[in-house]
Amino acid sequence: MTRRLAPLLLAALVLIAGAGPAQAAGYRYWSFWDRDGDHWTYATQGPSMARPSDGDVQGFRFSVSEDSGDAARPRGTAEFAAICAGTPAKEGTKRVALVLDFGTAADAPSGEAPPAGRTACARVSPDATTADALAAVAKPLRYDTSALLCAIAGYPKTGCGEQVAPRDEGAGASSQQRKSAAGKDDGGPSAGLVTGVAIVAALAAAAAWQSRRRRNANP
């Protein structure tokens, strides 16, 4: 019995040793952010639904991320007074400061290079949405059939929220993504490790039961 169990135990140990955290695929898209005090928060509404107030700062960042918790934030200056310094207030309108971060070369679609990031101050009607403000300062915009924002100022030329295969976290990934991946790796044992431990425990219990049975059968 012990000889028959040995190969299974070895296989389980190999499973444990080789088990590692699975890499989830990411998506390449424009994320939308609100400026809350001195930091960015992921917007809870899409740009076509959000209606910013006069003096608000909002941002867009193009990157590859798994979800909102992993998404990279816009970079650069994000102060309303600085962005809208050259756009005085006007009765019957509102001003919305926009931060446009086109991302990094690592996140760019094949054959494209991200433009330099920039800011813009949109003067729009009081009931305008963020999408209206964006259209006023960053055309051409591109949307898909489900109203997902695909391109700002013509970037990227193609694609819209497409899935991107997992890649080496140490090569090309942003600092934000590497930190997120590191945090996920430290969150607990992988499924393969748990499964391997369970197999070893089950086989050990079976071996012990068989040994007791043989001793009882041959006093």
Side-chain angles (χ1 to χ4, degrees):
M1 179 66 180
T2 302
R3 287 195 297 271
R4 288 197 296 270
L5 284 174
L8 296 176
L9 287 168
L10 179 60
L13 291 172
V14 169
L15 176 63
I16 295 172
Q23 289 184 320
Y27 297 86
R28 182 182 285 119
Y29 68 101
W30 280 100
S31 56
F32 173 38
W33 302 79
D34 290 316
R35 189 71 176 178
D36 183 8
D38 61 353
H39 64 279
W40 292 108
T41 59
Y42 202 89
T44 58
Q45 292 181 303
S48 62
M49 298 294 294
R51 295 184 186 277
S53 301
D54 181 77
D56 282 353
V57 179
Q58 297 184 309
F60 292 85
R61 171 69 187 266
F62 188 78
S63 67
V64 174
S65 58
E66 295 175 23
D67 50 43
S68 61
D70 180 56
R73 293 167 173 75
R75 300 165 294 177
T77 302
E79 296 181 359
F80 177 83
I83 296 172
C84 289
T87 307
K90 183 178 180 180
E91 187 176 355
T93 66
K94 66 181 178 184
R95 295 170 298 164
V96 181
L98 298 173
V99 177
L100 308 178
D101 187 338
F102 295 84
T104 66
D107 289 332
S110 178
E112 296 197 52
R118 60 187 176 93
T119 61
C121 185
R123 181 191 280 136
V124 290
S125 63
D127 63 345
T129 64
T130 302
D132 295 330
L134 193 60
V137 297
K139 289 181 178 179
L141 305 179
R142 179 166 56 87
Y143 293 87
D144 71 359
T145 55
S146 61
L148 176 66
L149 179 62
C150 304
I152 295 177
Y155 181 80
K157 295 178 182 178
T158 61
C160 191
E162 65 272 17
Q163 191 174 42
V164 180
R167 62 188 177 187
D168 182 0
E169 293 292 345
S174 67
S175 174
Q176 178 73 15
Q177 289 170 320
R178 287 195 295 270
K179 290 178 181 178
S180 177
K184 289 172 186 174
D185 289 349
D186 294 337
S190 67
L193 178 59
V194 173
T195 301
V197 171
I199 291 172
V200 171
L203 292 175
W209 175 82
Q210 182 67 17
S211 178
R212 288 196 302 271
R213 182 181 178 186
R214 292 176 62 184
R215 286 197 302 269
N216 292 335
N218 300 283

